[in-house]
Amino acid sequence: MKLLRQLLHNKKAVIGLAILVLIILVAIFAPLLTEYSPVRRVGRPHQPPSWEHWLGTTRLGHDVFSRLIHGARVSLAVGIGAGLLITVIGTVLGIVAGYKGGVVDEVINFFTNMVLVIPNLPLLLVLAAFIGQASPLVIAVILGFTSWAWGVRVTRSETLSIRQRDYVKSAEMLGEPGWRIMAFEIFPNLISIVGINFIGSIIF
């Protein structure tokens, strides 16, 4: 509730949230907002914007407005799917690396640095070409498995700070298993970081 009140008092955040909700609603109700199919020829090629075709037509006679709002569904699905996968991988690896340290931290850092130096867009194009006709699900998975490194860096650095807190040390002294400390002592204190990573990943 506190976070919601802070959000509502931030005019820029409210405007951004309103735009996001509008885009989501347009994507959900796309079939009700236009009578034209996004994949069928419905007019002459290269028609200018008009009352009949609000954004004109493509060179194949497709309605541009219809393709825009139907395409929003695919874009949102890929963004949310990839963002969720990126956030899950980044959060889990970041917490494990930051809490365990030692060899585990070094191995995760090695793979993190390796992913960071690989340019995502060329890799995505190469993998999509290799796979062939890449579906939105395949694109989301490829993006998810090639874009998690920054999330690991941020989560790890915050975990290194939290692991020194008194309540974490107390849980260790009481003999709590490592997975429980990471899940119930460290992770709840990373919710804001995880949320920012998720939103940033969708935007990216």
Side-chain angles (χ1 to χ4, degrees):
M1 293 299 294
K2 183 180 179 181
L3 181 62
L4 181 61
R5 286 196 298 269
Q6 291 177 345
L7 179 66
L8 294 177
H9 284 296
N10 189 324
K11 292 182 179 179
K12 292 182 179 179
V14 171
I15 293 173
L17 184 62
I19 294 173
L20 177 62
V21 170
L22 177 62
I23 293 173
I24 292 174
L25 290 176
V26 167
I28 292 174
F29 297 106
L32 302 178
L33 298 177
T34 178
E35 60 183 298
Y36 301 116
S37 167
V39 295
R40 292 183 179 177
R41 180 172 181 171
V42 294
R44 299 190 310 276
H46 297 301
Q47 284 185 254
S50 63
W51 286 111
E52 185 177 5
H53 303 289
W54 291 1
L55 298 179
T57 60
T58 67
R59 64 184 181 85
L60 297 177
H62 298 147
D63 184 77
V64 175
F65 177 72
S66 178
R67 293 175 70 83
L68 175 68
I69 61 176
H70 279 85
R73 291 179 160 191
V74 179
S75 297
L76 286 173
V78 170
I80 293 174
L84 185 61
L85 186 56
I86 290 169
T87 304
V88 170
I89 295 174
T91 301
V92 171
L93 292 182
I95 292 176
V96 171
Y99 179 73
K100 291 292 186 181
V103 177
V104 174
D105 188 21
E106 291 179 4
V107 170
I108 292 177
N109 270 327
F110 171 78
F111 285 104
T112 300
N113 293 331
M114 188 172 65
V115 172
L116 282 173
V117 299
I118 299 175
N120 289 335
L121 184 57
L123 178 62
L124 176 62
L125 295 174
V126 170
L127 290 175
F130 177 75
I131 294 171
Q133 185 66 30
S135 66
L137 176 60
V138 172
I139 294 174
V141 170
I142 293 174
L143 285 173
F145 280 108
T146 58
S147 308
W148 49 264
W150 286 110
V152 172
R153 282 286 180 86
V154 174
T155 306
R156 175 184 175 274
S157 63
E158 192 66 21
T159 302
L160 288 172
S161 174
I162 293 175
R163 68 178 293 192
Q164 304 301 325
R165 306 281 174 84
D166 291 339
Y167 54 85
V168 175
K169 295 297 184 183
S170 298
E172 290 175 342
M173 292 177 65
L174 291 172
E176 292 279 357
W179 69 266
R180 186 174 179 83
I181 293 175
M182 288 186 283
F184 295 102
E185 301 293 344
I186 296 178
F187 176 70
N189 292 284
L190 294 173
I191 292 296
S192 59
I193 298 295
V194 172
I196 291 172
N197 285 342
F198 179 60
I199 294 172
S201 298
I202 294 176
I203 293 172
F204 170 76

